[in-house]
Amino acid sequence: MRDTWNTRTAFILASIGSAIGLGNIWRFPFVCYENGGGAFLIAYAIVLFLVGIPLLMLEFGIGQRAHQAGPGAFRQFHLKFEWFGWIATGVAFVIVIYYAIVMSWAVNYTYQSFTLGWGENPKDYFYQTLLGLSSGISETGKFQWSVFWGLLVSWICVIACIWKGTKTVSKVIYFTVTVPWLLLVVFVIRGITLPGAAKGLLFYLKPEMKMLLNFNLWLQAISQVCFSLSVGFAVMVAYGSFLKKDADIVQNAMIIGVADALTAFVGGLAVFGALGHKAFVEGKAITEIAKGGPGLAFVTYPEIINNLPFAPLFGFLFFIMLLLLAIDSAFSIVEAVTTAIHDKTGWSHKQSNLIVATIAFLLGIPLCFGSGLFILDTYDHFMMHIGLPMVVLLECIIVGYYFGAGKMREYLNVHSIHKANKWWDYRIKLILPGAILVMFIKEIADRFKGAYSGYWGTDVLYGWRIIILIIFISFVMTKISQNKENTEL
Ligand code: PHE
């Protein structure tokens, strides 16, 4: 018999755990900062309610209806669609390869925090000591043993968390969701009470309304909402597949979506308060302080921590928080892949977990070289801008048109207290695919105008080739014969 969540709380926490991750603490504040602060918050909220949460309902519905992860769930619509489920799973798998690398950095920083080992100049520590950054993607650089050990530790933790499927996950998530939230509260209080914090907060919260006319802001909001909610990767389909038949999908999706957005918002308060303080201490404008992506969490934040009283303690708590936030996102992806393989082959959960984690770990090893950051960046760009829109678009077409949005909505509403109304159909059939299509076309056009990293070899080797590989492997997986238990349609 298929595993189910121990309790409703376990399901909600596990989904929140998947949603809340590195995306909330460094990606969100930075994207928000680049797109006009408050204006982005408004766009984010609109996108969240307009399409993010409806898509989350859809993925839970697909999984619960089929009691199978992505590929099996799409197979139930039509045999031919199984292929598509594997593509979604493949995109998630590539994400976890580099997500674990970011976790490895956090492991290293946690270790260094006891002695503030990143020193006065965290930029040098991060780029030179830890990453041994090479001159570009074509120069492999040296093998960085610390990144490798961090990667190994991260994978061991991930495997330990999902060892026995939903039964262990149901227990672990009480810890991995609540503890980082408590720590986040500590960092918000610390962040907003620092001298000069107001400057950062004003920057974060004051909407620049004219930015709302910027087309790019809306595209950024869509990809951020999808990444943050973990939708468009078949992960929530797999989590939905462990739901009992009478679960209230509409309400669950609302709770999870709002909790995730709230965490991003609160995370922003902590980060921007601290950035305001840094700008104040250095007498610089806030625009000269904040850097996006890895720079924010691994360079700017440690610098701020250095100047706090009890710096090692804050350093330790900050990186443990990042790790705990990241770990349940990482294992949600592994679970999604594992469950898909388990459904297909009938291999035991443990076996599949070990195989998936080992392969992801091995594929992460090339990212332990000096050129790792460049590879990571290219993977991330291609997965977020080509893989994700491809999956969401097809998902909306299959459910919206082939299966029928109205039929799916009726299914979602059966056990839900609050019902999704007719608008849900339009969102899935028109608004979401329309927006995603525009995003997709713009990205493809941009890529053909110029290579992402300014060097076509990189795009082909790490970007396009991975996309083609995912499509190819999906084909192969579809051809493997189905485990007997799951063949009924
Ligand atoms: N939602 C996670 C975060 O915000 C990342 C993630 C993406 C998890 C895709 C699962 C699937 O960090």
Side-chain angles (χ1 to χ4, degrees):
M1 216 190 78
R2 192 178 191 79
D3 273 357
T4 48
W5 298 104
N6 288 352
T7 59
R8 178 177 180 198
T9 319
F11 165 72
I12 292 182
L13 281 182
S15 306
I16 290 180
S18 168
I20 301 175
L22 299 169
N24 303 57
I25 299 301
W26 61 248
R27 199 169 188 274
F28 177 80
F30 146 70
V31 178
C32 180
Y33 158 79
E34 270 195 350
N35 289 283
F40 185 78
L41 284 184
I42 295 173
Y44 190 88
I46 293 176
V47 171
L48 177 77
F49 286 103
L50 198 64
V51 291
I53 295 177
L55 191 60
L56 189 58
M57 290 174 194
L58 178 126
E59 292 208 349
F60 284 153
I62 297 174
Q64 190 209 35
R65 179 178 165 276
H67 268 306
Q68 289 194 47
F74 281 96
R75 190 185 153 91
Q76 296 223 338
F77 292 126
H78 190 285
L79 279 179
K80 286 224 164 70
F81 296 151
E82 177 183 340
W83 176 64
F84 163 69
W86 285 110
I87 293 186
T89 312
V91 172
F93 184 69
V94 175
I95 291 183
V96 83
I97 294 173
Y98 67 75
Y99 210 84
I101 294 282
V102 182
M103 288 172 67
S104 151
W105 304 341
V107 169
N108 275 281
Y109 272 78
T110 309
Y111 176 69
Q112 295 295 344
S113 65
F114 295 106
T115 55
L116 295 180
W118 50 74
E120 282 303 305
N121 191 345
K123 198 167 162 197
D124 283 350
Y125 170 76
F126 182 60
Y127 292 111
Q128 271 144 39
T129 317
L130 182 64
L131 302 187
L133 200 65
S134 67
S135 61
I137 202 155
S138 44
E139 187 201 332
T140 311
K142 282 217 264 343
F143 190 72
Q144 299 300 114
W145 281 100
S146 335
V147 179
F148 173 82
W149 292 124
L151 187 65
L152 189 66
V153 170
S154 307
W155 275 113
I156 292 175
C157 296
V158 170
I159 297 176
C161 290
I162 48 175
W163 192 238
K164 285 191 182 151
T166 53
K167 296 290 167 274
T168 13
V169 169
S170 296
K171 289 190 196 115
V172 171
I173 32 100
Y174 280 94
F175 183 74
T176 56
V177 174
T178 51
V179 173
W181 241 99
L182 291 177
L183 292 176
L184 192 59
V185 172
V186 173
F187 279 97
V188 173
I189 295 173
R190 183 65 279 201
I192 61 177
T193 52
L194 287 166
K199 201 169 158 183
L201 294 176
L202 195 71
F203 186 86
Y204 176 48
L205 299 173
K206 195 172 137 259
E208 270 217 46
M209 285 304 187
K210 64 175 188 308
M211 289 289 290
L212 284 175
L213 299 173
N214 183 335
F215 181 63
N216 223 19
L217 168 133
W218 291 95
L219 297 186
Q220 293 267 23
I222 295 176
S223 54
Q224 176 62 24
V225 163
C226 288
F227 184 79
S228 198
L229 285 181
S230 314
V231 289
F233 308 95
V235 167
M236 292 309 196
V237 177
Y239 270 18
S241 77
F242 304 121
L243 273 175
K244 297 205 172 87
K245 275 290 170 210
D246 57 354
D248 181 336
I249 295 183
V250 174
Q251 200 181 49
N252 283 344
M254 294 289 281
I255 296 175
I256 293 158
V258 170
D260 181 57
L262 208 64
T263 311
F265 177 72
V266 171
L269 291 177
V271 171
F272 278 91
L275 288 177
H277 171 67
K278 185 161 189 271
F280 170 79
V281 170
E282 296 181 7
K284 287 188 188 159
I286 191 108
T287 39
E288 296 167 50
I289 301 285
K291 269 201 229 88
L296 191 60
F298 296 100
V299 177
T300 314
Y301 222 84
E303 264 167 24
I304 295 169
I305 287 168
N306 277 347
N307 296 317
L308 298 179
F310 310 110
L313 178 69
F314 276 107
F316 177 76
L317 293 180
F318 181 73
F319 288 105
I320 278 287
M321 175 181 80
L322 269 191
L323 264 180
L324 290 175
L325 285 173
I327 200 162
D328 35 22
S329 300
F331 71 59
S332 71
I333 299 182
V334 178
E335 268 292 315
V337 183
T338 295
T339 313
I341 293 180
H342 167 82
D343 290 346
K344 178 88 189 180
T345 59
W347 291 346
S348 79
H349 213 96
K350 267 189 203 167
Q351 236 174 352
S352 318
N353 263 339
L354 267 184
I355 294 171
V356 171
T358 309
I359 296 176
F361 166 67
L362 293 177
L363 291 174
I365 292 178
L367 278 74
C368 298
F369 284 92
S371 56
L373 183 63
F374 302 110
I375 305 178
L376 187 151
D377 198 39
T378 315
Y379 277 175
D380 182 56
H381 186 87
F382 276 78
M383 290 308 112
M384 290 309 295
H385 293 84
I386 296 182
L388 173 75
M390 197 163 77
V391 171
V392 175
L393 191 62
L394 286 169
E395 200 168 52
C396 290
I397 293 174
I398 293 176
V399 177
Y401 293 93
Y402 181 81
F403 182 73
K407 210 162 132 196
M408 181 51 94
R409 176 164 49 89
E410 272 166 30
Y411 177 83
L412 296 178
N413 283 341
V414 175
H415 296 288
S416 297
I417 300 173
H418 304 284
K419 312 281 180 205
N421 60 23
K422 230 180 157 11
W423 271 96
W424 188 86
D425 303 10
Y426 300 128
R427 289 166 184 180
I428 297 300
K429 286 171 79 167
L430 298 170
I431 303 176
L432 191 53
I436 290 280
L437 197 63
V438 171
M439 189 174 158
F440 198 43
I441 292 172
K442 183 178 177 294
E443 175 61 25
I444 300 277
D446 282 354
R447 286 294 61 74
F448 279 97
K449 261 190 257 154
Y452 169 62
S453 54
Y455 170 53
W456 265 101
T458 317
D459 269 35
V460 173
L461 193 60
Y462 295 101
W464 292 113
R465 205 180 277 186
I466 291 292
I467 297 279
I468 293 170
L469 205 65
I470 291 175
I471 298 177
F472 174 75
I473 293 178
S474 305
F475 241 136
V476 175
M477 290 306 290
T478 314
K479 294 287 164 219
I480 296 175
S481 64
Q482 184 79 5
N483 170 35
K484 307 237 172 4
E485 263 181 47
N486 292 326
T487 39
E488 85 276 8
L489 281 177

